[in-house]
Short mmCIF file of all heavy atoms in Angstrom, two decimals:
data_model
loop_
_atom_site.label_atom_id
_atom_site.label_comp_id
_atom_site.label_asym_id
_atom_site.label_seq_id
_atom_site.Cartn_x
_atom_site.Cartn_y
_atom_site.Cartn_z
N TYR A 209 -15.19 -18.38 -8.96
CA TYR A 209 -14.20 -18.49 -10.03
C TYR A 209 -14.38 -19.78 -10.94
O TYR A 209 -13.79 -19.84 -11.96
CB TYR A 209 -12.72 -18.56 -9.45
CG TYR A 209 -12.12 -17.15 -9.29
CD1 TYR A 209 -12.05 -16.69 -8.00
CD2 TYR A 209 -11.74 -16.34 -10.29
CE1 TYR A 209 -11.42 -15.43 -7.71
CE2 TYR A 209 -11.24 -15.11 -10.01
CZ TYR A 209 -10.98 -14.68 -8.67
OH TYR A 209 -10.51 -13.34 -8.50
N PHE A 210 -15.22 -20.63 -10.40
CA PHE A 210 -15.48 -21.97 -11.01
C PHE A 210 -16.90 -21.98 -11.69
O PHE A 210 -17.80 -21.25 -11.24
CB PHE A 210 -15.19 -23.05 -10.14
CG PHE A 210 -13.81 -23.10 -9.63
CD1 PHE A 210 -13.57 -22.51 -8.36
CD2 PHE A 210 -12.67 -23.57 -10.28
CE1 PHE A 210 -12.13 -22.44 -7.81
CE2 PHE A 210 -11.43 -23.55 -9.87
CZ PHE A 210 -11.15 -23.07 -8.62
N ALA A 211 -17.11 -22.80 -12.61
CA ALA A 211 -18.36 -22.80 -13.36
C ALA A 211 -19.50 -23.15 -12.40
O ALA A 211 -19.43 -23.99 -11.55
CB ALA A 211 -18.30 -23.90 -14.44
N HIS A 212 -20.54 -22.39 -12.56
CA HIS A 212 -21.74 -22.54 -11.68
C HIS A 212 -23.03 -22.00 -12.47
O HIS A 212 -22.84 -21.01 -13.36
CB HIS A 212 -21.66 -21.89 -10.29
CG HIS A 212 -21.31 -20.40 -10.41
ND1 HIS A 212 -20.18 -19.81 -10.86
CD2 HIS A 212 -22.16 -19.33 -10.30
CE1 HIS A 212 -20.18 -18.49 -10.80
NE2 HIS A 212 -21.53 -18.28 -10.49
N GLU A 213 -24.21 -22.34 -12.09
CA GLU A 213 -25.37 -21.78 -12.70
C GLU A 213 -25.64 -20.33 -12.09
O GLU A 213 -25.56 -20.22 -10.85
CB GLU A 213 -26.52 -22.67 -12.63
CG GLU A 213 -26.52 -23.83 -13.50
CD GLU A 213 -27.87 -24.44 -13.61
OE1 GLU A 213 -28.74 -24.15 -12.72
OE2 GLU A 213 -28.12 -25.33 -14.44
N ARG A 214 -26.06 -19.31 -12.92
CA ARG A 214 -26.27 -18.06 -12.40
C ARG A 214 -27.27 -17.39 -13.33
O ARG A 214 -27.13 -17.60 -14.59
CB ARG A 214 -25.03 -17.26 -12.27
CG ARG A 214 -25.29 -15.88 -11.62
CD ARG A 214 -23.94 -15.12 -11.36
NE ARG A 214 -23.05 -15.66 -10.45
CZ ARG A 214 -23.04 -15.34 -9.22
NH1 ARG A 214 -23.74 -14.36 -8.67
NH2 ARG A 214 -22.14 -15.84 -8.25
N GLN A 215 -28.20 -16.54 -12.77
CA GLN A 215 -29.03 -15.78 -13.81
C GLN A 215 -28.27 -14.61 -14.15
O GLN A 215 -27.65 -13.77 -13.37
CB GLN A 215 -30.28 -15.41 -12.84
CG GLN A 215 -31.26 -16.39 -12.63
CD GLN A 215 -32.48 -15.86 -12.00
OE1 GLN A 215 -32.56 -15.32 -10.88
NE2 GLN A 215 -33.65 -16.21 -12.69
N VAL A 216 -28.26 -14.35 -15.55
CA VAL A 216 -27.53 -13.30 -16.13
C VAL A 216 -28.41 -12.55 -17.13
O VAL A 216 -29.41 -13.09 -17.62
CB VAL A 216 -26.32 -13.70 -16.86
CG1 VAL A 216 -25.30 -14.47 -15.81
CG2 VAL A 216 -26.53 -14.83 -17.88
N ILE A 217 -27.99 -11.39 -17.41
CA ILE A 217 -28.67 -10.48 -18.53
C ILE A 217 -27.72 -10.19 -19.68
O ILE A 217 -26.68 -9.46 -19.45
CB ILE A 217 -29.09 -9.12 -17.80
CG1 ILE A 217 -29.85 -9.47 -16.57
CG2 ILE A 217 -29.94 -8.39 -18.83
CD1 ILE A 217 -29.88 -8.26 -15.68
N PRO A 218 -27.89 -10.76 -20.84
CA PRO A 218 -27.04 -10.33 -21.87
C PRO A 218 -27.22 -8.91 -22.28
O PRO A 218 -28.32 -8.37 -22.50
CB PRO A 218 -27.65 -11.24 -23.12
CG PRO A 218 -28.39 -12.37 -22.47
CD PRO A 218 -28.94 -11.71 -21.26
N ARG A 219 -26.09 -8.10 -22.15
CA ARG A 219 -26.16 -6.62 -22.52
C ARG A 219 -24.85 -6.26 -23.12
O ARG A 219 -23.73 -6.35 -22.45
CB ARG A 219 -26.39 -5.94 -21.08
CG ARG A 219 -26.48 -4.43 -21.15
CD ARG A 219 -26.63 -3.90 -19.90
NE ARG A 219 -27.78 -4.28 -19.13
CZ ARG A 219 -27.98 -4.13 -17.74
NH1 ARG A 219 -27.06 -3.59 -17.05
NH2 ARG A 219 -29.19 -4.58 -17.28
N ASN A 220 -24.80 -5.59 -24.25
CA ASN A 220 -23.80 -5.05 -24.82
C ASN A 220 -22.48 -6.03 -24.96
O ASN A 220 -21.39 -5.70 -24.85
CB ASN A 220 -23.27 -3.77 -24.13
CG ASN A 220 -24.35 -2.81 -24.12
OD1 ASN A 220 -25.13 -2.60 -25.10
ND2 ASN A 220 -24.35 -1.95 -22.99
N GLY A 221 -22.75 -7.32 -25.29
CA GLY A 221 -21.82 -8.33 -25.37
C GLY A 221 -21.31 -8.91 -24.16
O GLY A 221 -20.44 -9.66 -24.04
N LEU A 222 -21.82 -8.47 -23.00
CA LEU A 222 -21.33 -8.92 -21.67
C LEU A 222 -22.59 -9.69 -21.10
O LEU A 222 -23.80 -9.56 -21.38
CB LEU A 222 -21.08 -7.84 -20.74
CG LEU A 222 -19.84 -6.92 -21.16
CD1 LEU A 222 -19.56 -5.79 -20.29
CD2 LEU A 222 -18.52 -7.76 -21.29
N LEU A 223 -22.32 -10.51 -20.04
CA LEU A 223 -23.33 -11.33 -19.22
C LEU A 223 -23.41 -10.52 -17.94
O LEU A 223 -22.50 -10.84 -17.03
CB LEU A 223 -23.02 -12.70 -19.10
CG LEU A 223 -23.00 -13.57 -20.43
CD1 LEU A 223 -22.62 -14.94 -20.04
CD2 LEU A 223 -24.29 -13.52 -21.20
N VAL A 224 -24.41 -9.70 -17.69
CA VAL A 224 -24.49 -8.97 -16.44
C VAL A 224 -25.24 -9.93 -15.40
O VAL A 224 -26.28 -10.30 -15.67
CB VAL A 224 -25.34 -7.62 -16.62
CG1 VAL A 224 -25.45 -6.88 -15.25
CG2 VAL A 224 -24.52 -6.85 -17.77
N PRO A 225 -24.63 -10.03 -14.22
CA PRO A 225 -25.27 -10.87 -13.15
C PRO A 225 -26.54 -10.24 -12.68
O PRO A 225 -26.51 -8.97 -12.53
CB PRO A 225 -24.24 -10.98 -12.10
CG PRO A 225 -23.30 -9.73 -12.25
CD PRO A 225 -23.37 -9.50 -13.70
#
Side-chain angles (χ1 to χ4, degrees):
Y209 276 109
F210 302 96
H212 59 282
E213 283 194 350
R214 185 177 291 263
Q215 288 187 301
V216 296
I217 309 154
R219 181 185 299 164
N220 300 327
L222 299 173
L223 298 177
V224 179

